[in-house]
Amino acid sequence: MKIRGLCFRRGSQVVLHRVDMDIRRGAVTAVMGPSGTGKTTLLKLITGQLRPDAGSIEVDGEPVHTLGKSALFRLRRRMGMLFQSGALLTDLNVFDNVAYPLREHTDLNPSMLRKLVLLKLEAVGLRGARDLMPSELSGGMARRVALARAIALDPDMILYDEPFTGQDPISKGMLVTLIRQLNDAAGLTSILVSHDVDETASIADHIYVISHGEIIAQGTPQEIAADRSAWVRQFMDGLPDGPVHFHYPALPLADDLLPRGVAR
Amino acid sequence: MGKQRGIEILVGLFMAVGFVALFFLAMQVSNLSAAVNSDGYRLTARFANVGSLKARSPVSMAGVRVGRVEAVSFDKDTYEAVVTMRIDAATDTIPDDTFANIFTAGLLGEQYIALEPGGSMKYLRDGDEIAHTQSALILEQMIGQFLFSKAGGD
Amino acid sequence: MILEGLARLGRSGLGSLERIGRAHLLLAGMVLGIGEILRRPGLLIAQLFNIGVLSMLIIGVSGLFVGMVLGLQGYYVLAQFGAAESLGVMVAASLVRELGPVVTALLVAGRAGSALTAEIGLMKATEQLSGLEMMAVDPVRRILTPRFFGGVLAMPLLAAMFSAVGVLGGYFVGVGLLGVDSGSFWSQMQSKVDFHEDIVNGVIKSVVFGVVVTWIALFQGHDSVPTSEGVSRATTRSVVHAALAVLGLDFVLTALMFGE
């Protein structure tokens, strides 16, 4: 997959500015950066939910940004996506949620469908939870069900939008293992968007770090860990102050506190 | 599956009740049941002025409704209004010297045609015309005449 | 200062135009999705349940009381002119022409429209709509179209129930309690209420209201800001806009239908 000179604006605000990326088949590529730097937007552009203002996105030779609706839908059947919230359909139980894409796009008979769904659920360790409703699942379980649904159609590529956010360490560990396993077992191409440094660094083959819509560093986890630039260090090590200031831009404190500052 | 079936039954019930309500409105509340009744026979009558008589206004005899006005048209040669009425088939003994009046129900009510039977032994048939008619009383004209005669009397 | 004001005006004008455009694209998408509900009637049935069956109780109870109040009020006014027999006409005509379609539309906007907006808004906020899109399923066709046609179909049926129950309520008060003659109640009604002019026009009105109420509800949900605050605002807006649209359209439709 190739991304060249990608720009995206929302109103007058530039979300992504001249982003170039190459994502290799069969690898786990991570996109990291602080919240609000356009990581999710990037995923939406890759899947064609948004159209770029400039630049090109090619997935497997197909230019996503110019595809019509039906071609886009055909391409999406080969992509799985795991949403931040899981995005399970709340009025269907676990089994039906995983079966949904299969029922939608294939003509499997019920017994085949059942076997396939159970296999996918087994892969994420939730075969026993098939009759639960999404509201009865914990956050980690919901994400694993969503993962089972994302791989139901055996996609070539899977995109993860913040899979670790708001998870306890145990679920994080499970998800990390699952993502790596799925990638290696099925030869998937994985794109991982996250700001959880440790988990991401432990499974990614290649990392892009973006800030304010621009790529500021890239390389293997080791290269990023060795990167000396102040910004990358602040982000990777979670330092409270650095190029990104702890204080929101403001007047000097003295001016704000003294009454004459108000009178002026 | 049981839940789905319950929903289907309830939706079926909903639609049935909806259509029954529509049917009730059509048959019991509106005049559709009367309008469907297109048997009977037609009579015409000419009036100098029909006032506000309209299609579907009642035609009555001795205060009982025996038919409806089917159409009101204008004869451009005689400058008269031609009223076509449909009379119920059961009322087939209207004498041919019957008198057709346009009356008003109440002071400001709707106008209707009242038939006053004559004494002839010959009855009107389909397509016949009622020869004797009395036009609608126009309230404004009556008031005008009344004031005029009062003024003249003084 | 003046230029800034003009720019702001222009910006909000363009924003509204854009929103209107999106609303119409959504409507077109939903109407074109009709094939979907022909292929999967189950989706439509589920929505008829949500919008129709669940609104039946409130429609029935409101219809009964509106009819009874009409019977009471009408009787006292008409009795002064010695025309109490015309009570049936008054009750039936006001229900069938106006109150049935309009009050039903307002109640449905409050009962089902707000629920639709909240449902769609929440599905958007929890990324369920995006999730469907990623599964190569068009959420407009799969989620919105059945709801739209469910609303359009349910509305005239609910309005008919409202009017029918209302007429019975008026009958109960007028004939049962106030002693209007039962025969003249019905016969006057039948002679004055016209099938085409009143009943058919009333049904047309309620179909139009069904389109408008569900369209507004679904658009507000689909266009809402995907946060809990955004969804709650969209729900309020949905009811307010739907109510205003129904009342405004009612005037226009009445002028077109009953004006000569």
Side-chain angles (χ1 to χ4, degrees), chain B residues 102-104 106-107 111 134-150:
Chain B
I102 297 180
F103 286 152
T104 307
L107 189 57
Q111 291 188 306
Q134 158 84 56
S135 286
L137 292 172
I138 309 294
L139 192 61
E140 293 88 325
Q141 281 179 5
M142 281 165 56
I143 294 170
Q145 280 166 4
F146 174 74
L147 292 176
F148 191 71
S149 65
K150 276 292 237 191

Side-chain angles (χ1 to χ4, degrees), chain A residues 44 47 49 69 73 76-77 79 81 83-85 87-90 100-101 104-105 149 161, chain C residues 36 40 119 123 125-128 130-139 141-143 147:
Chain A
K44 288 194 168 176
T47 55
Q49 293 177 59
K69 198 170 178 178
F73 272 22
R76 282 190 193 153
R77 283 189 218 173
M79 294 179 173
M81 181 157 174
F83 285 88
Q84 217 161 332
S85 57
L88 295 175
L89 297 169
T90 40
Y100 197 89
E104 206 56 48
H105 297 301
R149 187 179 67 176
D161 186 6
Chain C
E36 186 79 20
R40 294 163 197 267
E119 189 190 11
M123 287 184 86
T126 54
E127 297 177 309
Q128 292 184 51
S130 307
L132 283 173
E133 225 172 281
M134 276 312 298
M135 287 189 274
V137 173
D138 184 349
R141 294 199 169 185
R142 180 56 48 82
I143 303 294
R147 284 166 173 74

Side-chain angles (χ1 to χ4, degrees), chain C residues 50-63:
Chain C
N50 277 344
I51 300 169
V53 175
L54 296 182
S55 303
M56 260 169 98
L57 186 66
I58 186 174
I59 292 293
V61 172
S62 323

